[in-house]
Amino acid sequence: MNGIKSLVTGDIGLDQADAGSGSDSNLRIMLVSADQSATATPKQTHAVRTDINATVSNYEITGTGYTTLGKPVVATVAFDSVGTPTAVEVSFAQTSWTSSTITARGAIIFYHAGSTPSASTDKLLAYLDFGANVSSSNGTFTVSVTTPLSIDNS
């Protein structure tokens, strides 16, 4: 996913001033269906949301308690050094959908630079495969990213 390159180079707007603040509301996490996982395995050439949408027309889930394009996700950014960093580690906070009845196979974390998300410019950062469908039935659906996204550009 080419959004990772944009993260390392600073093109997506996360810089050292944002490190640890978790204040960048342009990061979002959205849930995807089993169809997304089975037929459109993310590729290194996928850069924006339309790259996936062109492959699978109905990749985002729907259901009670879930809103299109998911939710903002809080990120904590840590750099390896002062000055010009060569590595960055991004940790994502838990994101939950309460009182939801939904089923998802995975999640996509993306960044949008404008005031609202746009599939043609939203940069893909990560794809999380749950390994199987996960469901909630009028309960809380929570996504926990337990391993930080680590990028080394040295």
Side-chain angles (χ1 to χ4, degrees):
M1 296 189 180
N2 290 330
I4 293 173
K5 179 179 178 183
S6 296
L7 179 65
V8 172
T9 62
D11 291 341
I12 64 168
L14 296 177
D15 58 26
Q16 287 184 324
D18 298 327
S21 70
S23 63
D24 199 325
S25 63
N26 291 2
L27 288 174
R28 296 189 69 85
I29 186 168
M30 63 184 219
L31 301 176
V32 294
S33 68
D35 292 340
Q36 160 58 21
S37 177
T39 61
T41 302
K43 298 172 177 53
Q44 289 180 343
T45 56
H46 288 170
V48 294
R49 281 194 303 117
T50 51
D51 291 341
I52 294 172
N53 196 28
T55 309
V56 178
S57 59
N58 295 314
Y59 64 97
E60 188 173 13
I61 64 120
T62 60
T64 303
Y66 182 82
T67 306
T68 302
L69 299 177
K71 289 186 166 191
V73 62
V74 175
T76 302
V77 181
F79 296 92
D80 72 339
S81 64
V82 178
T84 304
T86 59
V88 64
E89 186 172 280
V90 184
S91 299
F92 299 99
Q94 282 187 343
T95 304
S96 298
W97 289 265
T98 57
S99 303
S100 65
T101 301
I102 52 181
T103 298
R105 171 58 190 255
I108 293 174
I109 298 175
F110 66 94
Y111 177 87
H112 69 91
S115 58
T116 57
S118 169
S120 64
T121 59
D122 293 345
K123 295 182 180 187
L124 302 176
L125 296 180
Y127 175 74
L128 312 171
D129 186 340
F130 300 158
N133 282 340
V134 178
S135 299
S136 63
S137 180
N138 196 27
T140 301
F141 188 103
T142 301
V143 176
S144 298
V145 182
T146 57
T147 304
L149 178 61
S150 297
I151 304 141
D152 189 342
N153 195 32
S154 55

